Amino acid sequence: MNKLQKEKSSYLLQHADNPVDWFPWSNEAFEIAKQNDKPILLSIGYSACHWCHVMAHESFEDPDIAKIMNENFVNIKLDKEERPDLDKIYQMSQTIITGKTGGWPLTVFMSPDKLPFFAGTYFPPEERYGLPAFKQILERVSEFYDTKKHDIKTQNAQLENIFSNLNDTSEVAVQSNITNTVLENLSNSLDRMHGGFGSAPKFPRCTNIQFILEKEVDITDEIKSLIELSLDRMCFAGIYDHVDGGFFRYSVDEIWMIPHFEKMLYDNGPLVSILSNAYKIYKKDIYLKRAKETCDWVIDNMQDEKGGFYSTVDADSEGEEGKYYVWSSEELKSILNDNENNIFDGIFKIDDKPNFGKFFHLHVPKGKENEYYKNTDAIENIKTKLQKIRNERIPPDTDHKILTSWNCLMIKGLLDIYKVTGDEKYLNSAQKAFSFIKNSLWDGSDLYACYHDKPKFIAYIDDYAFLCDVCLDFIKLEWDDNNFKFLNNLISSCLEDYEDKENGGFFFSSKKNKDLIYRPKTYTDESMPSGNSVILGVFSQLYELTNDNKYKSLIDKILLSARTSITRSPESHCNLLLENMEYFPKKLIIVRSPKEDMVELRNKINMFVRSSDIVLFLNDDISTNIHNIDDKKTENKFSAFICENFTCEQPITEVDVLIDRLNRK
């Protein structure tokens, strides 16, 4: 065993038995590299990564390759989900060095001072796929390091110079009609035939969908129907697990048929939110059904008894991608009766031909949706039989680390489905996870990013931003002085350790983190919305609630610092633009009623609330100590105040009148 055996990360433990002398990211590794004047080989991946597994089996388990690595390099394994800050830095480095986008596994060669001089992603053991053999790469890089140190120093200096200028704020102006430009670009990229954006591979791209839905009044019927098609295909096709529930990472083809089979918490939370919000617009039961099934799967399979949610479920089982999820013809015929086989063939099969090698992956082709609706009871019976068989299989591994930011995205999804169903099960699950984070990942002054059996790694801006966001969501549902105090403590800590006080915006990493060659600051949406965009949304809501100019100042500084990034790629900043009050004005709705009526009122009103609206539910005896809020009272049993630009209309005293107003927006 190497030095990974004492780690808690599932990904690192997958490599603990490799013949490679792996180190975790540590001072020890860099000191050894310095003392022996050896380059560092940094390999970055995550536990559910298929190609990470492939490279591990092909190369890192090979004694001959391991020998070359051990003799010539100090080898470091890194879990990118534990250290997204380092992953961002070295992914950016690989792009700068190669001019190509990165991915996982990421393979970085660097000098002992942590500055990279060569990088790539997956390398095969022998030359194929147009890629050089990993052995050749190792030998050439080792020779280059020994003979070209001057060239490496020159390149490193250039890289440092690039990094030093990345966070500069230019005077570029953002065009006034930027949201229309984004809407046009997103609309043009929609697949008119199969839904989704672009061609294969297809990702859900939740922030893009939400942006379009929030522009509902500006979109054509065609665009609205294309978003509906996109959601339909995600609900019916192969990116959804029709047996157990939950969504896979992405589709490898343009028709959403065959997924990459890993399940990520950070996908499933936002997809629940999107489907919950879309249900309010399209009124399609399948959206609600898939959102509920996904939450049920997460609660049953991914929620720890302490409350936190696990991170991922692997794509591979028994060394094969998708093996746990697919079906043979013989297997299906043996467990389904004739009628069920006919229904299955008519809905899920394509021309009676396997769609995943020799196997079938469940996929409802476009045009078969009505057949699905007609046979819902039979499909549920089929599903029960398939679940029984699947439960006898060897399941893929689950990564049991609990990540603050990902948990918050799932909490938000649970709160969003609760708002449209009123099902306390989802609220209780969200509260349990929220309590776990408060009690286990916050020490009173610092937030932590990761939990195994104890908290680990000082948090990143995503952790703070997403936690502030869900804390505010709980406060809006039911005022709680302790939660409001907790929110303010989080914001104070965030401002102290993450704010770029010179240029505005927030760095990804805390100033307490001293082992970085560069502190990234990002505004673009990637797999998740950027931390800067989410914290912008928190400040925007707090500004509307309190009319406190300190939040307006923070908002302005974030937007000023983001100008260059927005101008470079507007459609990559959907969430940042959504949270900009200038483009998407926020409406504040304060609802007061007796405590005994509040739950019923919330369930009734929330069905008609847009996701951009700020709705604050207050028992009539609650005092928030915020003047703008506390002065909104009447003598009526129920009263609601609709406010825009810090001006409130006369109180509405009938629930149906409020719902009618919200429904006419």
Side-chain angles (χ1 to χ4, degrees):
M1 295 185 100
N2 49 49
K3 291 186 180 293
L4 302 181
Q5 70 267 25
K6 294 182 179 179
E7 295 297 307
K8 299 294 184 181
S9 160
S10 294
Y11 177 64
L12 299 188
L13 290 173
Q14 287 170 2
H15 297 80
D17 292 323
N18 290 170
V20 178
D21 293 334
W22 291 116
F23 287 82
W25 183 277
S26 60
N27 290 331
E28 180 187 9
F30 292 104
E31 285 301 318
I32 290 173
K34 288 177 184 177
Q35 291 169 10
N36 295 281
D37 191 21
K38 280 187 175 183
I40 289 166
L41 192 164
L42 173 65
S43 177
I44 303 176
Y46 59 101
S47 67
C49 169
H50 172 69
W51 285 103
C52 299
H53 298 329
V54 172
M55 191 166 178
H57 297 319
E58 290 179 341
S59 295
F60 303 146
E61 295 173 7
D62 185 306
D64 294 332
I65 292 178
K67 186 172 185 290
I68 299 172
M69 293 173 66
N70 296 337
E71 288 177 353
N72 296 281
F73 301 92
V74 173
N75 304 290
I76 296 177
K77 253 301 168 188
L78 186 74
D79 184 341
K80 71 102 170 176
E81 294 169 353
E82 288 189 337
R83 293 299 303 269
D85 53 343
L86 293 171
D87 182 59
K88 287 181 183 294
I89 291 168
Y90 292 108
Q91 291 284 354
M92 188 181 299
S93 299
Q94 128 60 52
T95 299
I96 294 169
I97 292 169
T98 68
K100 300 176 181 178
T101 56
W104 302 278
L106 183 67
T107 307
V108 182
F109 297 92
M110 56 189 184
S111 49
D113 58 2
K114 303 174 185 175
L115 287 165
F117 59 88
F118 183 74
T121 52
Y122 163 78
F123 292 108
E126 306 295 338
E127 187 174 347
R128 61 173 183 262
Y129 312 132
L131 297 170
F134 191 45
K135 285 182 181 179
Q136 296 173 342
I137 293 289
L138 294 171
E139 291 165 352
R140 291 173 184 173
V141 169
S142 178
E143 182 183 2
F144 184 77
Y145 182 81
D146 290 337
T147 61
K148 301 289 185 179
K149 282 190 170 59
H150 176 75
D151 293 348
I152 290 173
K153 286 182 180 179
T154 301
Q155 180 179 304
N156 286 349
Q158 293 170 344
L159 189 65
E160 285 185 300
N161 184 58
I162 292 172
F163 282 147
S164 67
N165 292 314
L166 283 175
N167 291 328
D168 288 348
T169 303
S170 71
E171 296 300 320
V172 65
V174 177
Q175 63 186 86
S176 59
N177 64 339
I178 190 71
T179 60
N180 291 333
T181 300
V182 171
L183 181 61
E184 183 179 356
N185 291 344
L186 293 178
S187 301
N188 290 337
S189 69
L190 281 165
D191 183 340
R192 265 63 181 168
M193 182 64 68
H194 305 292
F197 298 90
S199 57
K202 275 187 176 170
F203 292 82
R205 293 174 66 175
C206 292
T207 54
N208 291 2
I209 293 174
Q210 188 60 42
F211 184 93
I212 294 174
L213 291 179
E214 287 297 328
K215 295 281 286 183
E216 185 183 2
V217 295
D218 299 322
I219 64 176
T220 63
D221 289 342
E222 181 200 20
I223 300 305
K224 188 175 179 180
S225 65
L226 285 172
I227 293 298
E228 183 180 8
L229 171 64
S230 302
L231 295 170
D232 285 357
R233 290 288 77 219
M234 285 189 275
C235 287
F236 280 109
I239 196 174
Y240 184 75
D241 183 353
H242 290 270
V243 177
D244 289 332
F247 289 87
F248 300 110
R249 179 75 187 94
Y250 62 87
S251 172
V252 302
D253 52 68
E254 65 180 3
I255 65 172
W256 303 98
M257 180 170 63
I258 302 299
H260 183 38
F261 285 93
E262 63 191 25
K263 290 183 180 178
M264 317 295 288
L265 190 68
Y266 66 70
D267 288 319
N268 282 276
L271 278 164
V272 170
S273 292
I274 283 291
L275 290 171
S276 301
N277 293 328
Y279 175 73
K280 298 178 184 180
I281 298 171
Y282 296 97
K283 304 295 189 297
K284 298 187 76 166
D285 290 341
I286 192 66
Y287 299 165
L288 201 58
K289 177 177 173 63
R290 293 294 188 251
K292 290 166 66 175
E293 288 172 344
T294 297
C295 288
D296 293 342
W297 172 77
V298 168
I299 292 170
D300 292 342
N301 296 275
M302 301 293 281
Q303 189 160 28
D304 187 83
E305 61 182 10
K306 295 178 181 178
F309 296 107
Y310 304 139
S311 300
T312 64
V313 177
D314 208 328
D316 299 5
S317 57
E318 301 180 75
E320 296 181 28
E321 184 178 11
K323 184 174 181 178
Y324 182 73
Y325 299 104
V326 298
W327 309 90
S328 68
S329 291
E330 296 75 19
E331 197 171 30
L332 291 168
K333 289 176 182 177
S334 69
I335 61 174
L336 304 180
N337 61 42
D338 290 344
N339 182 54
E340 290 168 340
N341 263 305
N342 288 333
I343 291 170
F344 185 93
D345 289 350
I347 296 174
F348 292 107
K349 288 189 181 182
I350 301 176
D351 299 326
D352 202 34
K353 295 178 182 178
N355 59 358
F356 189 74
K358 298 178 180 179
F359 299 93
F360 291 95
H361 172 60
L362 271 60
H363 158 79
V364 181
K366 186 180 176 184
K368 292 287 187 178
E369 295 89 349
N370 286 336
E371 288 297 312
Y372 181 98
Y373 289 129
K374 289 178 189 176
N375 294 280
T376 52
D377 290 342
I379 289 169
E380 287 301 312
N381 290 332
I382 292 170
K383 183 172 122 177
T384 300
K385 290 184 177 182
L386 295 180
Q387 282 176 329
K388 186 176 179 181
I389 298 299
R390 189 182 277 183
N391 289 338
E392 296 172 357
R393 297 175 177 176
I394 297 173
D397 290 336
T398 297
D399 188 336
H400 289 89
K401 68 172 172 285
I402 296 169
L403 298 173
T404 300
S405 58
W406 298 14
N407 268 250
C408 291
L409 291 174
M410 193 66 235
I411 291 170
K412 195 170 187 69
L414 287 162
L415 291 178
D416 284 337
I417 191 66
Y418 167 70
K419 291 173 187 177
V420 295
T421 64
D423 192 331
E424 295 285 329
K425 170 175 62 176
Y426 303 125
L427 177 62
N428 292 337
S429 177
Q431 288 173 329
K432 187 177 178 183
F434 183 58
S435 295
F436 173 81
I437 294 171
K438 287 197 296 182
N439 296 329
S440 301
L441 286 155
W442 170 252
D443 68 4
S445 57
D446 287 313
L447 183 66
Y448 288 83
C450 180
Y451 186 93
H452 292 287
D453 51 1
K454 60 182 180 181
K456 192 176 182 183
F457 304 113
I458 292 290
Y460 311 105
I461 186 59
D462 290 4
D463 301 300
Y464 272 95
F466 297 177
L467 183 55
C468 286
D469 188 40
V470 297
C471 187
L472 191 53
D473 280 352
F474 278 111
I475 290 168
K476 289 183 295 184
L477 276 177
E478 184 175 10
W479 183 270
D480 185 301
D481 287 335
N482 290 327
N483 279 344
F484 194 65
K485 182 180 178 181
F486 178 53
L487 175 62
N488 281 295
N489 288 339
L490 287 172
I491 291 172
S492 296
S493 179
C494 186
L495 290 170
E496 174 64 27
D497 292 339
Y498 297 81
E499 187 185 14
D500 183 347
K501 300 187 186 314
E502 181 178 352
N503 297 306
F506 291 81
F507 292 110
F508 188 78
S509 297
S510 169
K511 67 182 183 182
K512 295 175 180 176
N513 191 336
K514 304 296 187 183
D515 64 351
L516 307 179
I517 59 173
Y518 159 67
R519 287 179 79 191
K521 187 170 57 173
T522 59
Y523 301 96
T524 57
D525 303 321
E526 297 174 352
S527 301
M528 304 182 295
S530 72
N532 269 288
S533 71
V534 176
I535 201 69
L536 173 68
V538 171
F539 294 151
S540 296
Q541 293 184 73
L542 287 171
Y543 180 51
E544 292 289 336
L545 287 169
T546 66
N547 197 16
D548 190 331
N549 281 324
K550 73 179 180 185
Y551 297 117
K552 182 64 169 62
S553 176
L554 288 165
I555 292 166
D556 291 342
K557 288 165 69 175
I558 293 172
L559 293 173
L560 283 170
S561 71
R563 293 177 300 182
T564 302
S565 185
I566 294 172
T567 303
R568 195 178 293 129
S569 177
E571 56 269 29
S572 300
H573 298 76
C574 285
N575 201 64
L576 190 78
L577 296 173
L578 275 172
E579 300 296 355
N580 185 347
M581 296 182 297
E582 180 182 347
Y583 302 135
F584 292 88
K586 297 189 181 297
K587 185 176 293 185
L588 172 62
I589 304 159
I590 299 172
V591 177
R592 285 197 175 263
S593 84
K595 184 176 182 178
E596 60 268 22
D597 299 334
M598 186 57 77
V599 172
E600 183 180 352
L601 276 171
R602 274 194 333 224
N603 294 342
K604 194 172 182 179
I605 292 168
N606 272 327
M607 264 299 298
F608 302 94
V609 171
R610 293 178 68 100
S611 59
S612 58
D613 290 339
I614 307 166
V615 187
L616 185 66
F617 293 95
L618 292 171
N619 299 336
D620 53 11
D621 60 346
I622 287 288
S623 176
T624 67
N625 293 316
I626 300 171
H627 176 72
N628 283 359
I629 297 171
D630 290 341
D631 67 355
K632 306 297 185 299
K633 282 186 177 182
T634 71
E635 298 300 318
N636 291 280
K637 190 175 182 181
F638 164 86
S639 55
F641 301 81
I642 299 178
C643 312
E644 293 184 86
N645 297 318
F646 307 106
T647 301
C648 300
E649 302 175 4
Q650 289 296 310
I652 298 170
T653 57
E654 295 181 25
V655 178
D656 289 342
V657 174
L658 174 63
I659 289 174
D660 184 60
R661 283 287 308 279
L662 297 174
N663 207 23
R664 287 190 291 112
K665 294 181 295 183

